[in-house]
Amino acid sequence: MKAKVLTIILGLIFPFAYVYSQPTQDEIQLYLLIMDYRAQYELPHIPFSVSLTQVAQIHAKDVYDHFDEIPAGCNSHSWSSHGPWQRCDYYPDHRNSKLMWSKPSELTEYKGNGYEICHYYNPPSTGVCTPQGALDGWKSSSGHNAVILNIGKWCSKEWKAIGVGMYKGVACVWFGAEDDPAGFYVIK
């Protein structure tokens, strides 16, 4: 009984804590789809990062739960003020990119920058995001596709870590150019 009460209290104080978990089947499927897509272009496998997955899971839930609070003119790379991170209003001109890129170091042991792609229904509560639907959305967006395939301004990046988070109508994937000190998931 005491453990259940403590769990409920912690859940109310730290709701983001329930987002971080082992990857779900959908998150694993999306990871594998991205790796298969990269393999079609003879690009290397990216290790499945524990830290970046935590960031992706937290952000997917934050976007879903607080989508209506994203200021006009901002996009889903924005972060609400409802967690242990600095709020970030992310505009299409990337003026606050450093606030978004720093989220891995705010939330985890990962000290490098993180670069995110996000797919969602608008608003997220109107549908369920599937792994294939998310990848198809990113493939049809030149900017997101460029991150996945290391093209354009991303060609000089060597991705050494990737994290995947999905929550109802939202999928977030984070890429990093440094190894994850927290380790990597092994998917068989």
Side-chain angles (χ1 to χ4, degrees):
M1 179 66 178
K2 286 182 184 178
K4 188 173 186 178
V5 171
L6 179 60
T7 300
I8 292 169
I9 290 169
L10 288 174
L12 294 172
I13 296 170
F14 302 108
F16 60 88
Y18 288 103
V19 176
Y20 172 55
S21 64
Q22 295 291 315
T24 65
Q25 285 304 115
D26 279 348
E27 290 165 347
I28 292 168
Q29 183 182 2
L30 180 52
Y31 169 76
L32 293 172
L33 287 170
I34 292 170
M35 292 307 103
D36 288 347
Y37 181 51
R38 287 176 54 84
Q40 293 172 22
Y41 292 86
E42 299 182 7
L43 294 169
H45 166 89
I46 307 169
F48 199 176
S49 163
V50 171
S51 295
L52 294 183
T53 293
Q54 180 179 354
V55 174
Q57 290 173 336
I58 291 169
H59 196 218
K61 186 171 185 334
D62 185 55
V63 170
Y64 182 86
D65 288 346
H66 306 290
F67 185 80
D68 59 336
E69 297 174 30
I70 295 174
C74 292
N75 62 35
S76 61
H77 298 304
S78 298
W79 286 70
S80 76
S81 58
H82 299 283
W85 52 76
Q86 184 176 357
R87 179 185 177 93
C88 174
D89 295 333
Y90 197 91
Y91 296 88
D93 65 6
H94 311 290
R95 71 181 92 152
N96 289 334
S97 59
K98 289 180 183 176
L99 278 174
M100 189 265 284
W101 296 343
S102 68
K103 293 304 174 227
S105 65
E106 283 186 61
L107 297 168
T108 70
E109 298 176 45
Y110 192 87
K111 297 306 173 202
N113 284 336
Y115 307 96
E116 180 188 48
I117 58 176
C118 189
H119 177 80
Y120 61 94
Y121 284 86
N122 191 358
S125 60
T126 61
V128 175
C129 187
T130 66
Q132 189 65 59
L135 181 60
D136 290 345
W138 292 322
K139 287 166 66 173
S140 67
S141 165
S142 61
H144 295 100
N145 194 52
V147 175
I148 296 170
L149 297 180
N150 294 98
I151 54 180
K153 70 179 185 179
W154 302 102
C155 69
S156 63
K157 294 285 185 190
E158 178 186 344
W159 299 136
K160 294 184 178 179
I162 185 173
V164 179
M166 296 184 72
Y167 187 78
K168 298 183 181 180
V170 181
C172 296
V173 175
W174 285 73
F175 295 82
E178 298 180 28
D179 289 326
D180 183 356
F184 298 97
Y185 296 111
V186 177
I187 307 299
K188 298 187 183 223

